[in-house]
Amino acid sequence: MTTVTVRNPSGKKTGTVDLDPEVFDIEPNVAVMHQVVTAQLAARRRGTQSTKTRSEVKGGGGKPWRQKGTGRARHGSTRNPQWRGGGVALGPKPRSYRQRTPKKMVRLALRSALSDRARDEKVVVVDHWRFESPRTKDALAALKALKADGRVLLVAERDESEVWKSFRNLPKVHLVSPGELNAYDVLVSDVVVFTLETLPTAVASEQDADEADMDEEGTDQERMDQEEES
């Protein structure tokens, strides 16, 4: 079991906490992390690229010249792909790049990423934030006191408005709520900062994953309904 020092925003030690071994102390599965991150990045693609086929471009209604006797190659339309201004053969069309990823794989990828950061001692735990009012200067001072250098992933509750407003203007800080925590954001960050309230456990991570899947299914259903109406 991994034990992490709990500090206040000033960097002073206030105690220790044992990280859940089911979340922070497993053998990272590189293959699963790669597949989940690939699927997550693919889902970000808009898929709106589109090219015109030979039936969609203008012109080319008639045969450009007679079949024989001109000494030139045979052509039936100027809309063919080999003509300048013609259609594109096998070009991209609007499509969805989303991939179906099992919930167990998503959970395993997140646990693997968190375990990797915990082994590198890149997990920071704060007892609680003490922002009386939103102030970026105080947020920057807190990160410096906690020795959180580089790209920082900060997990905070949604109702902590002072925390979100204080850190949101820092370019190297990415804020997420506990339910939004994912393997990609953990892997691209140098340090992951939790509070005692947002520190994930095995049960909490499963509940968050179920809620995220329900939201995703609802979004997919709405998209299908919109496509049917159109």
Side-chain angles (χ1 to χ4, degrees):
M1 183 176 292
T2 305
T3 302
V4 176
T5 301
V6 180
R7 303 182 183 278
N8 60 19
S10 300
K12 295 182 179 180
K13 179 179 178 180
T14 60
T16 59
V17 63
D18 294 330
L19 301 180
D20 191 333
E22 296 186 20
V23 179
F24 292 93
D25 195 18
I26 68 171
E27 184 65 29
N29 192 319
V30 179
V32 171
M33 287 193 293
H34 177 271
Q35 184 170 346
V36 171
V37 168
T38 300
Q40 185 174 348
L41 294 179
R44 293 185 178 184
R45 301 183 64 177
R46 299 183 62 184
T48 56
Q49 69 276 27
S50 180
T51 54
K52 291 183 178 181
T53 63
R54 55 177 294 176
S55 63
E56 297 172 327
V57 296
K58 292 182 179 181
K63 190 175 176 64
W65 49 75
R66 58 196 175 108
Q67 183 82 347
K68 296 178 179 293
T70 64
R72 290 177 289 185
R74 295 169 291 184
H75 286 291
S77 173
T78 57
R79 294 183 296 183
N80 291 335
Q82 65 265 33
W83 281 73
R84 180 178 180 180
V88 177
L90 305 178
K93 284 292 186 180
R95 53 162 293 192
S96 173
Y97 288 91
R98 299 183 68 88
Q99 302 177 15
R100 288 288 183 180
T101 308
K103 291 186 289 186
K104 290 185 177 180
M105 291 184 61
V106 175
R107 296 169 187 166
L108 179 57
L110 176 58
R111 295 177 183 180
S112 297
L114 291 174
S115 298
D116 180 72
R117 288 295 173 263
R119 290 185 180 184
D120 293 339
E121 298 182 353
K122 297 298 184 180
V123 176
V124 177
V125 180
V126 181
D127 52 3
H128 64 274
W129 299 106
R130 299 177 176 83
F131 293 112
E132 296 180 356
S133 60
R135 193 179 185 191
T136 305
K137 184 177 181 180
D138 293 342
L140 192 61
L143 292 179
K144 185 176 181 180
L146 295 171
K147 298 181 180 180
D149 301 324
R151 300 185 64 175
V152 177
L153 176 64
L154 196 146
V155 185
E157 295 288 355
R158 278 293 179 183
D159 56 359
E160 296 180 307
S161 59
E162 293 79 8
V163 177
W164 286 78
K165 292 178 181 179
S166 297
F167 284 99
R168 66 185 180 184
N169 289 330
L170 298 177
K172 293 187 177 181
V173 176
H174 181 54
L175 283 159
V176 296
S177 63
E180 298 171 336
L181 189 61
N182 60 86
Y184 174 76
D185 287 336
V186 174
L187 292 173
V188 299
S189 301
D190 299 313
V191 182
V192 185
V193 181
F194 296 99
T195 60
L196 291 174
E197 291 75 17
T198 61
L199 195 64
T201 61
V203 176
S205 61
E206 291 180 1
Q207 292 177 349
D208 293 338
D210 291 339
E211 293 176 359
D213 290 334
M214 292 178 62
D215 294 340
E216 182 177 352
E217 291 176 0
T219 303
D220 292 340
Q221 185 62 38
E222 292 176 359
R223 186 183 299 107
M224 293 175 61
D225 295 339
Q226 291 177 357
E227 292 177 354
E228 291 179 356
E229 292 177 359
S230 60

